[in-house]
Amino acid sequence: MPETVLYVCATCRREGDDPEGPRAGARLLDALRARAEGVRVEPVECLSVCKRPCTVAVASPGRWTYVYGDLDPAEQAGVILEGLAAYAATPDGIVPWKQRPAAFRSGVIARIPPFPPPVGTREAAE
Amino acid sequence: MPETVLYVCATCRREGDDPEGPRAGARLLDALRARAEGVRVEPVECLSVCKRPCTVAVASPGRWTYVYGDLDPAEQAGVILEGLAAYAATPDGIVPWKQRPAAFRSGVIARIPPFPPPVGTREAAE
């Protein structure tokens, strides 16, 4: 099974964040690390999605990369990890639309094909 | 020099597109292919950035991946390829902010760290 990495923007801020406390992104990172099993969780300083915090990206060799935003650090660590497990169970990273968590369907920011791309391949739009 | 791939969403539509003609994304793909030298240009069906057409992504082994939107198929193939050349000249894909084309500064959708990530590395936010 190829390794799956969850990148978590640790610098994302959300409206209402306590300026003295850890940022929303750092709280999401902690929540994910506390629950994650069998997935590598890595902090990143900025995924350049600053208008839709919190944000994460999931990547794996031979699979599509997905970027998600609008994630709640207090509530959604569990659902992110569920979505990740579904992703890791596919050969190409493309989970059927209806099987994706609602947070992934509404929060998708972008997806990027596997690298290197198979020559001439065009994937179904989703 | 590691290979750089430019993914171009060939299915992006823009307001005002002739419904009988090729889509904006397909026109951008053609314009890029007509000008590109030394860079692999690959069509993709949907980068999931449908609200900000046209969209492209640039990826390269060991470098950050960037996704850009709001690109004009008639006007911006040249500037995209200039931005790509600057990207390919860096070790990590991070072009200093002021050296990025304006279209890349305003149109950035997301960036994703190199895969696999160096353990414990946290990159400067840009």
Side-chain angles (χ1 to χ4, degrees), chain A residues 25-110:
Chain A
R27 300 198 306 273
L28 179 60
L29 176 67
D30 287 346
L32 287 163
R33 285 205 156 151
R35 287 165 169 255
E37 286 176 21
V39 58
R40 185 168 162 191
V41 179
E42 289 286 336
V44 183
E45 285 194 20
C46 198
L47 291 166
S48 286
V49 193
C50 310
K51 291 182 182 168
R52 294 179 64 181
C54 293
T55 55
V56 303
V58 53
S60 181
R63 294 193 174 105
W64 286 71
T65 294
Y66 282 82
V67 184
Y68 299 106
D70 303 328
L71 297 167
D72 185 312
E75 303 288 345
Q76 290 185 307
V79 80
I80 293 167
L81 293 171
E82 283 170 26
L84 221 68
Y87 171 92
T90 66
D92 55 6
I94 300 179
V95 176
W97 182 257
K98 290 186 177 177
Q99 293 170 33
R100 299 180 196 180
F104 280 12
R105 292 200 298 263
S106 63
V108 66
I109 302 292

Side-chain angles (χ1 to χ4, degrees), chain B residues 16 28 34 46 51 70 95 102 111:
Chain B
L28 179 60
C46 197
K51 290 181 183 170
D70 304 328
V95 176
R111 63 173 205 159

